[in-house]
Amino acid sequence: MRIYNTLSHKIEEFVPNEPGKVSMYTCGPTVYHFAHIGNLRSYIMEDVLEKYMRFSGLDVKRVMNITDVGHLTSDGDTGEDKMLKGAKREHKSVMDIAKFYTDAFFDDCKKLNIKTPDVVEPATHCIDDFIRVISSLIEKGYAYEAGGNIYFDTSKLKEYYVFHNFNEEDLEDGVREGVEKDENKKNKADFVLWFTKSKFDDQELKWDSPWGIGYPGWHIECSCISMKHLGEKLDIHCGGIDNAFPHHTNEIAQSEAYLGHKWCNYWFHILHLNTNDGKMSKSKGEFLTVKLLEEKGYAPVIYRFFCLLSHYRKSLVFSWENLDNAKTAYNKILAKVASLQKETAGETDKASYDALMAKYTEALDNDINTSNAITALYDVLKADTTPATKLALIDEFDKVLSLDITANARKQAEQEENTELPAEVASLVSQRAEARKAKNFALADELRDKITALGYKIEETRQGTKITKL
Ligand code: AMP
Ligand code: ZN
């Protein structure tokens, strides 16, 4: 399997530290608001990466943090703690906000068929780990105290800008937003490890530390949580491209200074989802969420399909028109699969199975090229082989694509069958469904008898309600 590594700017063969085993770390959400569908693009593409590694026989352990403290409105350590901002907005406590939006994030993930990582760790559970690593960085001379805060001294490193395509100018972000410049820093690129001199009198979450009461910086959270669960050598680290600098650059600086050796071998970054008028933002009032997609009549899996149609290293433009096109294409796939399900399956043909599977693995082996993997799916649908072969391949592909193809094709076919019913029968069927939902089984039985009297058999199957002409 080959993937693009932001460290080398090249597509490389993926070779884990320990043969057959992969340690994978993902920057989790900052739980101060709902995730927007841009955030979720990153998690969908990381989910494909993780599932494809497992599909290829690798034993993956994936860890994700939950940022519930320390992420300021500017990544350059200026502004307000995002969590506090969320709490003020909703007149709730920071912990209530964290709980509510963590749950909301995992609900969204479930709807998008994103697997929950093996370990999910909120930053607020690891304060002792942060203090231990920061103390060691001070001891080793990589960190200093100034104005009450603890900073990482980037001038102590041979190379700080490890991803090359970023520079000091990128750190001006916070200043452009009109937020005060931090005069305590010895070097412009230095970053906060621990805030003791809170800029906010009402910072709700604070902990005791050797340097006074305070709270951790955002970057130290990911380094420590990764090392806690995945050890001193990490195979692959993921996140959206905005995380590469300064967040991941800072993670590398402090982790390698602490460990004294190389920390993570592969960096996997997903390009952004944008709208026609620019960047996705949560500060612009109504923003695009899974809930909004559902309200507008799009099943979340359509959005997953829309994301898979493009390569993760290309930025993607969201528009309702583009989503409609994805919906039409997805429904066409379902219709084709539904007609396959009705045919006599026949035997699986090994030669064509292997050839079609090879196209699919070739696509994903080549830097997780999901759009070519979808082409491989179309190739299966068009192929001159038995329905059994096609259906078996689709089920295998869907272990990674997670588009619920066979189940949704069956559902769609049933719905179509139901809509072909005479109006009187269809009405009795829906009344019976309502009665069953209300647990009024006597009425449900009565309605079944009426349906039977009109010449239709109704039965409950694992795939849903099935109606056939008697
Ligand atoms: P956050 O909740 O802000 O910490 O971000 C969660 C994840 O979403 C991180 O991996 C970000 O890099 C990623 N992300 C933020 N904005 C976008 C976007 N517009 N498109 C794709 N990923 C994004
Ligand atoms: Zn992180």
Side-chain angles (χ1 to χ4, degrees):
M1 173 178 183
R2 295 174 306 281
I3 48 171
Y4 181 85
N5 187 353
T6 319
L7 259 189
S8 63
H9 303 280
K10 280 193 199 111
I11 293 181
E12 294 177 23
E13 188 65 37
F14 178 74
V15 186
N17 285 303
E18 212 182 307
K21 286 196 164 181
V22 179
S23 54
M24 179 176 186
Y25 185 83
T26 296
C27 289
T30 310
V31 283
Y32 72 113
H33 217 321
F34 291 107
H36 59 50
I37 59 170
N39 300 129
L40 292 161
R41 178 192 192 197
S42 286
Y43 295 110
I44 288 170
M45 302 320 277
E46 291 168 8
D47 183 64
V48 171
L49 172 69
E50 176 191 348
K51 286 180 179 159
Y52 188 62
M53 283 180 166
R54 291 184 195 273
F55 186 87
S56 310
L58 295 166
D59 178 10
V60 182
K61 180 173 177 188
R62 177 155 175 219
V63 176
M64 183 172 89
N65 71 305
I66 297 289
T67 303
D68 53 1
V69 67
H71 191 176
L72 306 193
T73 45
S74 153
D75 288 351
D77 294 334
T78 52
E80 192 179 8
D81 187 326
K82 289 188 179 187
M83 293 304 299
L84 194 67
K85 198 174 160 186
K88 277 190 195 158
R89 186 187 63 234
E90 297 184 22
H91 309 288
K92 289 191 185 138
S93 74
V94 165
M95 279 342 268
D96 284 346
I97 288 286
K99 162 98 183 67
F100 180 82
Y101 288 113
T102 302
D103 291 348
F105 172 74
F106 285 113
D107 282 351
D108 286 347
C109 287
K110 200 165 163 219
K111 288 178 181 168
L112 291 163
N113 292 336
I114 299 171
K115 179 184 169 293
T116 303
D118 303 289
V119 178
V120 176
E121 181 88 274
T124 49
H125 290 191
C126 301
I127 303 297
D128 290 348
D129 297 282
F130 308 150
I131 292 178
R132 188 174 40 78
V133 172
I134 297 168
S135 303
S136 163
L137 288 171
I138 296 174
E139 236 167 73
K140 293 183 163 119
Y142 285 105
Y144 60 93
E145 193 167 351
N149 300 324
I150 306 295
Y151 293 86
F152 187 92
D153 186 347
T154 52
S155 69
K156 293 279 156 65
L157 301 175
K158 272 200 224 98
E159 190 187 19
Y160 167 68
Y161 296 100
V162 285
F163 294 123
H164 307 299
N165 39 356
F166 302 98
N167 58 49
E168 278 199 357
E169 295 308 308
D170 294 298
L171 285 167
E172 299 285 350
D173 253 9
V175 180
R176 270 205 301 274
E177 281 168 20
V179 186
E180 257 174 65
K181 203 167 153 186
D182 189 341
E183 300 294 344
N184 296 317
K185 293 184 182 182
K186 287 190 200 164
N187 314 286
K188 209 172 188 176
D190 291 357
F191 54 93
V192 178
L193 297 167
W194 186 267
F195 293 95
T196 48
K197 194 168 173 291
S198 170
K199 296 189 207 78
F200 334 110
D201 298 335
D202 52 353
Q203 177 73 15
E204 209 179 293
L205 297 179
K206 296 177 197 157
W207 294 266
D208 205 4
S209 83
W211 321 288
I213 292 176
Y215 63 100
W218 170 40
H219 317 296
I220 196 72
E221 297 175 4
C222 285
S223 290
C224 291
I225 292 172
S226 171
M227 285 190 258
K228 177 175 172 184
H229 296 287
L230 297 168
E232 294 191 354
K233 286 191 173 164
L234 180 62
D235 289 311
I236 184 158
H237 193 310
C238 319
I241 190 67
D242 59 309
N243 278 170
F245 185 80
H247 184 48
H248 292 162
T249 305
N250 292 349
E251 280 189 44
I252 295 172
Q254 66 206 359
S255 301
E256 298 193 350
Y258 169 74
L259 293 167
H261 59 72
K262 184 163 182 184
W263 172 50
C264 177
N265 289 335
Y266 300 88
W267 289 84
F268 182 87
H269 289 119
I270 299 99
L271 268 285
H272 272 190
L273 178 83
N274 302 311
T275 50
N276 279 324
D277 55 358
K279 211 181 142 202
M280 293 253 157
S281 164
K282 295 183 191 178
S283 54
K284 288 186 199 157
E286 190 190 52
F287 58 90
L288 291 161
T289 58
V290 167
K291 193 162 152 262
L292 186 70
L293 299 188
E294 287 181 303
E295 281 166 10
K296 293 200 183 261
Y298 298 92
V301 77
I302 302 285
Y303 177 64
R304 184 174 174 111
F305 181 65
F306 166 78
C307 290
L308 299 193
L309 290 170
S310 298
H311 193 248
Y312 76 91
R313 266 192 313 114
K314 286 198 181 123
S315 52
L316 179 59
V317 175
F318 177 83
S319 70
W320 295 106
E321 198 188 340
N322 292 348
L323 193 64
D324 275 335
N325 291 339
K327 186 175 176 175
T328 308
Y330 180 76
N331 285 337
K332 275 191 187 155
I333 293 175
L334 294 191
K336 288 204 172 114
V337 174
S339 68
L340 278 176
Q341 286 166 337
K342 284 188 200 140
E343 288 175 39
T344 318
E347 300 276 308
T348 309
D349 176 60
K350 191 169 177 330
S352 52
Y353 181 98
D354 289 349
L356 290 159
M357 177 58 88
K359 284 193 182 172
Y360 169 79
T361 53
E362 193 191 318
L364 293 175
D365 276 337
N366 184 15
D367 195 23
I368 306 294
N369 196 324
T370 50
S371 76
N372 285 354
I374 301 289
T375 306
L377 176 68
Y378 283 116
D379 290 344
V380 169
L381 294 172
K382 283 189 296 207
D384 182 17
T385 185
T386 62
T389 313
K390 295 185 182 188
L391 291 169
L393 282 161
I394 291 163
D395 278 345
E396 278 305 290
F397 290 10
D398 218 25
K399 285 183 178 163
V400 175
L401 306 178
S402 300
L403 295 168
D404 295 336
I405 296 172
T406 29
N408 283 348
R410 222 169 253 133
K411 260 193 225 155
Q412 201 189 55
E414 263 156 31
Q415 271 165 9
E416 271 165 22
E417 274 167 27
N418 290 352
T419 52
E420 283 161 15
L421 296 173
E424 193 183 354
V425 178
S427 156
L428 290 168
V429 169
S430 70
Q431 286 176 44
R432 181 175 167 274
E434 285 300 314
R436 281 172 60 85
K437 215 164 133 196
K439 299 207 173 357
N440 186 347
F441 297 110
L443 177 61
D445 285 348
E446 212 178 283
L447 291 161
R448 172 206 294 269
D449 292 344
K450 285 189 182 165
I451 294 165
T452 316
L454 289 167
Y456 287 86
K457 182 179 164 195
I458 182 161
E459 56 190 330
E460 296 307 319
T461 69
R462 266 199 297 166
Q463 282 79 36
T465 306
K466 200 173 158 204
I467 302 146
T468 37
K469 212 162 182 338
L470 284 168

